[in-house]
Amino acid sequence: AQSVTQLDSQVPVFEEAPVELRCNYSSSVSVYLFWYVQYPNQGLQLLLKYLSGSTLVESINGFEAEFNKSQTSFHLRKPSVHISDTAEYFCAVSGQGGSEKLVFGKGTKLTVNP
Amino acid sequence: DVKVTQSSRYLVKRTGEKVFLECVQDMDHENMFWYRQDPGLGLRLIYFSYDVKMKEKGDIPEGYSVSREKKERFSLILESASTNQTSMYLCASSHSAGKLFFGSGTQLSVL
């Protein structure tokens, strides 16, 4: 079985500052890893995913995450955040065995202040 | 544009009532899921389905059941609603690994 730990429940930052949202996972099998974002009063949307290949994956709005197998981590980073990045971010993991059941972390609320 | 539609945005029910939450997707996805979202607990999987008339229990199925008679529709049923089932319920569907499309959610209050 897989599990996900998001180490910070809330992260406040100022606009244009860098940010890192931490995610660690636990699994006895090879995994796929994901970050989802939930803007206020909306459903979740896929932000980025790691399935295989390059360990650094990027989203279209400037976020990136790096899969680190030895540290079982998949931290999300952005070098300069905007007010519009204020949202809740969820890390998720699934096994590679064909099952598409995702296990989510508890979420990190990112608040970007002017 | 892909779409997952949940029938109600807000719902208020009384303890003991039978509650139906409906979800429809227009993407011909095989896989559909029901999660509940609670502050500080993230998303927890209630039930999922990989095909019509097929269902599997997730992590917290107690007090819930599901129905999938047609590919595009996945219903969550609370047989006898209780106050601890007050929550945000999220439906999702998928075709490929990990890329779930979510509905906007149903905020259920059980009084």
Side-chain angles (χ1 to χ4, degrees), chain B residues 34 55 65-70 73-77:
Chain B
W34 275 106
K55 60 186 178 184
S65 62
V66 291
S67 171
R68 193 163 181 204
E69 296 296 318
K70 294 184 177 181
R73 187 180 296 271
F74 192 37
S75 304
L76 180 69
I77 304 156

Side-chain angles (χ1 to χ4, degrees), chain A residues 31-62:
Chain A
V31 297
Y32 297 140
L33 292 157
F34 311 85
W35 277 98
Y36 280 78
V37 59
Q38 185 178 33
Y39 298 105
N41 299 313
Q42 296 185 26
L44 277 74
Q45 307 170 36
L46 180 65
L47 185 61
L48 47 76
K49 62 183 177 181
Y50 169 77
L51 301 182
S52 64
S54 172
T55 57
L56 184 66
V57 290
E58 299 177 355
S59 72
I60 58 173
N61 58 353

Side-chain angles (χ1 to χ4, degrees), chain B residues 1-34:
Chain B
D1 226 8
V2 297
K3 206 165 184 181
V4 178
T5 303
Q6 294 183 231
S7 53
S8 305
R9 184 75 178 96
Y10 299 97
L11 210 53
V12 180
K13 296 293 181 180
R14 298 210 174 272
T15 303
E17 278 192 77
K18 190 169 186 177
V19 182
F20 292 86
L21 302 183
E22 305 288 347
C23 176
V24 177
Q25 51 100 358
D26 65 358
M27 297 163 283
D28 201 36
H29 286 166
E30 293 83 9
N31 313 308
M32 296 189 75
F33 308 83
W34 275 106

